[in-house]
Amino acid sequence: MPKNMKVLFAASEALPFASTGGLADVIGSLPSALVRNGVDARVVIPCYSSIKHKNSSDITYLCDFTVKLAWRNQYCGLFTAVSNGITFYLIDNEYYFNRQSLYGSYDDGERFAFFCKAVLDMLPRIDFFPDILHTNDWQAALSGIYLKQIYRHGDQRYRPIRVVHSIHNIEFQGIFDHAILGDVFDLPSQLASIVDYNGCINLTKGAIVCCDRLTTVSPTYAKEIRSPSFAFGLQHIINQYSFKTVGIINGIDQDYYNPETDQTIVHRYSSPEGKAKNKLALQHELGLAENVNTPMISMITRLTSQKGLDLVTAVIDEFLCDDVQFVLLGTGDPGFESFFRRLEEKHPSKVRSIIAYDKALSKKIYASSDIFLMPSKTEPCGLAQMIASRYGTVPVVRETGGLYDTVKYYNDVTGDGNGFTFSRYNAHDMLYTLRKAVGLYRDFRDKWNELADKIMKIDFSWNVSAYRYTELYRDVLSLER
Ligand code: ADP
């Protein structure tokens, strides 16, 4: 077994370079935690044009080569950068990655197939053959599939590499028409059965079949995705391969999310009392009534129904009869975007809906609000509830996936628990729970501050989980070749 394990993470986004959600947080922070455990962890992501524009002075050109994808011979530029002590490799191709958004193009399948091939073709150029290739979500899935089915039968240096695949959200599986198996994915028809599922190509299914270990991002989600209610059709495969599946809870980067040192917030603080100045500043910035005692409830989220927004839209008008302020930051489904814009028009003194993706503003909101609402229908892990806690903002969540694993109901007699939770996917259960939280804030401020103080001190760092990943990698490397 190698002394310094080498692990290469392949993913479609990572902080601080490109981010649309929790995956970027994880890929931007887990590798640093592994390095602290003595692992040589590195990351490869696509070099989206936004990265080149924003970080031009921080990234260095390494080399270029040609990637063969079926009949195409495509240019691939390779850049490198160091962030948080981690070496990043950036796969460049203007045709594939100079787009308005990271995802949502008609040719996403081809774009990420190119990325996955380039990841493997890059290895001899950087003279880094990892012990573990850790692929994340469907966009990186083909790297593991190509490695196990094709590359390891060619150049001997690919042969020992083990593959760990992580599912960050099983809703997104990478489903494509069979017609593009050879023409776009460059897979011979003999390999069709590896990726075939329900009459389509399913890249997540292919990754599950090919990987040595499958992980998902919380123990509860690992159990949930065995059932049809959570698996978006993939439950048979998840059950078939449960012997290689494990759920490991995500952590957050507690240095990046640290109210004591965070330069993006107005007033830095180490106890909940310090939130007041931030709240007043945010109320001022957003044009809300400046009153430190008005409970401020926030949501920072992708606007999709997975996040429980159907519950919110059903009862928010009722909730806004109370003396509260509601601040939402998010982008996503146009229907939800216009709902929240209209909500602000209807309740201009109480609601601000900021339809944007804005990391700096998100931190101001975490630092200013009192209650963080996350009523998800499903939640693989959820990072926002942990980030909110770090800033002393009490989470109100539905008991599912990682929310169930990280938030326990607060008992105002014993002081146990770290938030407010409800179980059924029911709008009035959510409203009742939200009102319980507001009631504690309003009527028992001492207890509230004790709770807020306690949650700021919870260890949501990567320490424990990075250790578990290190053990998992060791375990995988001890498998017979
Ligand atoms: P998911 O990965 O399903 O989107 P998570 O809770 O795991 O949900 O992670 C969401 C991450 O993205 C958090 O860091 C959250 O603060 C951030 N985020 C979500 N929406 C926005 C937004 N509109 N602006 C800034 N950050 C956002």
Side-chain angles (χ1 to χ4, degrees):
M1 192 171 317
K3 260 169 85 191
N4 271 331
M5 248 186 307
K6 290 182 280 180
V7 179
L8 179 66
F9 282 81
S12 55
E13 52 182 271
L15 278 174
F17 298 106
S19 157
T20 69
L23 173 64
D25 282 75
V26 172
I27 306 302
S29 54
L30 169 59
S32 312
L34 290 168
V35 166
R36 287 195 289 277
N37 285 357
V39 175
D40 181 358
R42 306 185 192 184
V43 178
V44 55
I45 59 170
C47 191
Y48 302 105
S49 47
S50 55
I51 300 181
K52 279 208 243 167
H53 295 147
K54 272 193 256 153
N55 306 272
S56 57
S57 57
D58 304 329
I59 64 176
T60 310
Y61 167 85
L62 278 182
C63 63
D64 57 79
F65 50 93
T66 300
V67 172
K68 189 181 165 309
L69 189 64
W71 47 268
R72 303 165 193 79
N73 286 301
Q74 300 289 35
Y75 164 87
C76 175
L78 183 61
F79 288 80
T80 186
V82 175
S83 169
N84 220 355
I86 297 298
T87 299
F88 280 75
Y89 298 103
L90 304 153
I91 300 288
D92 182 40
N93 177 300
E94 289 274 327
Y95 170 66
Y96 288 128
F97 301 127
N98 185 2
R99 304 281 171 102
Q100 288 286 340
S101 1
L102 269 55
Y103 317 116
S105 297
Y106 74 98
D107 59 348
D108 276 1
E110 182 179 327
R111 295 171 67 219
F112 289 104
F114 165 79
F115 169 69
C116 288
K117 271 231 157 153
V119 166
L120 298 177
D121 290 348
M122 166 187 89
L123 303 182
R125 269 105 187 165
I126 57 172
D127 195 22
F128 182 77
F129 284 85
D131 301 300
I132 307 276
L133 174 65
H134 190 149
T135 56
N136 294 273
D137 278 351
W138 76 261
Q139 291 89 347
L142 274 166
S143 280
I145 299 171
Y146 291 144
L147 175 72
K148 288 288 188 169
Q149 301 299 329
I150 299 167
Y151 280 63
R152 71 192 298 262
H153 302 302
D155 185 333
Q156 287 298 300
R157 289 173 295 176
Y158 290 93
R159 208 176 137 63
I161 303 175
R162 300 286 179 189
V163 177
V164 172
H165 183 74
S166 290
I167 295 177
H168 295 261
N169 190 336
I170 204 166
E171 187 175 347
F172 308 109
Q173 298 175 4
I175 297 174
F176 298 93
D177 194 299
H178 253 301
I180 66 171
L181 182 79
D183 186 53
V184 172
F185 292 141
D186 201 7
L187 288 170
S189 53
Q190 312 86 279
L191 296 181
S193 65
I194 302 276
V195 290
D196 178 70
Y197 194 63
N198 273 346
C200 295
I201 295 171
N202 186 316
L203 297 179
T204 298
K205 183 255 178 173
I208 296 171
V209 172
C210 292
C211 70
D212 296 291
R213 280 282 188 284
L214 178 69
T215 79
T216 187
V217 288
S218 70
T220 296
Y221 194 61
K223 283 186 216 134
E224 286 174 343
I225 57 174
R226 297 182 72 159
S227 98
S229 327
F230 291 88
F232 289 86
L234 218 50
Q235 62 276 6
H236 307 295
I237 297 297
I238 297 287
N239 279 303
Q240 189 181 343
Y241 291 92
S242 62
F243 66 91
K244 58 174 163 180
T245 307
V246 55
I248 302 178
I249 196 87
N250 284 335
I252 56 169
D253 181 341
Q254 300 209 136
D255 296 325
Y256 180 74
Y257 297 112
N258 183 354
E260 277 189 71
T261 54
D262 192 338
Q263 295 300 319
T264 48
I265 63 177
V266 172
H267 175 74
R268 279 156 285 288
Y269 58 97
S270 55
S271 70
E273 290 75 18
K275 288 171 70 72
K277 281 190 189 160
N278 288 296
K279 186 173 177 179
L280 288 170
L282 186 69
Q283 286 169 330
H284 183 76
E285 183 180 335
L286 299 180
L288 290 165
E290 290 168 43
N291 183 342
V292 88
N293 289 318
T294 308
M296 184 189 281
I297 292 84
S298 63
M299 292 187 78
I300 299 169
T301 181
R302 289 185 291 116
L303 298 178
T304 68
S305 61
Q306 181 222 321
K307 295 294 179 180
L309 295 169
D310 304 308
L311 304 188
V312 180
T313 58
V315 295
I316 189 78
D317 282 306
E318 203 177 330
F319 179 59
L320 288 167
C321 295
D322 303 346
D323 178 25
V324 293
Q325 293 177 342
F326 178 74
V327 176
L328 172 126
L329 172 65
T331 54
D333 292 354
F336 287 126
E337 289 188 354
S338 60
F339 175 90
F340 287 109
R341 280 200 189 96
R342 267 187 287 115
L343 190 74
E344 177 179 314
E345 283 163 20
K346 268 199 285 177
H347 306 274
S349 63
K350 293 185 170 180
V351 175
R352 284 297 170 272
S353 301
I354 303 117
I355 306 302
Y357 190 89
D358 184 335
K359 230 33 204 168
L361 180 58
S362 77
K363 289 169 131 201
K364 286 189 191 171
I365 298 173
Y366 284 122
S368 306
S369 46
D370 304 293
I371 294 170
F372 189 79
L373 178 61
M374 206 162 163
S376 307
K377 195 186 283 174
T378 65
E379 194 57 75
C381 176
L383 300 173
Q385 79 282 10
M386 300 190 229
I387 302 168
S389 304
R390 180 93 175 120
Y391 286 82
T393 306
V394 175
V396 173
V397 308
R398 196 173 90 78
E399 293 161 18
T400 183
L403 294 174
Y404 179 77
D405 292 334
T406 54
V407 184
K408 300 292 170 214
Y409 200 92
Y410 171 69
N411 179 327
D412 59 5
V413 178
T414 62
D416 291 344
N418 59 325
F420 291 82
T421 69
F422 61 100
S423 153
R424 288 190 310 161
Y425 192 68
N426 176 292
H428 279 90
D429 286 7
M430 179 192 79
L431 181 61
Y432 174 82
T433 311
L434 208 41
R435 284 184 164 150
K436 286 275 276 190
V438 170
L440 187 78
Y441 174 85
R442 228 184 234 126
D443 303 330
F444 300 95
R445 192 63 61 86
D446 288 351
K447 284 193 175 184
W448 183 270
N449 284 338
E450 266 171 40
L451 171 60
D453 191 48
K454 171 175 153 181
I455 64 176
M456 284 179 75
K457 296 186 179 126
I458 297 177
D459 181 3
F460 282 127
S461 74
W462 273 107
N463 290 347
V464 174
S465 297
Y467 179 76
R468 294 212 54 206
Y469 275 109
T470 312
E471 291 294 291
L472 177 98
Y473 297 148
R474 285 221 173 86
D475 195 30
V476 170
L477 290 177
S478 68
L479 294 175
E480 260 184 39
R481 298 198 194 282

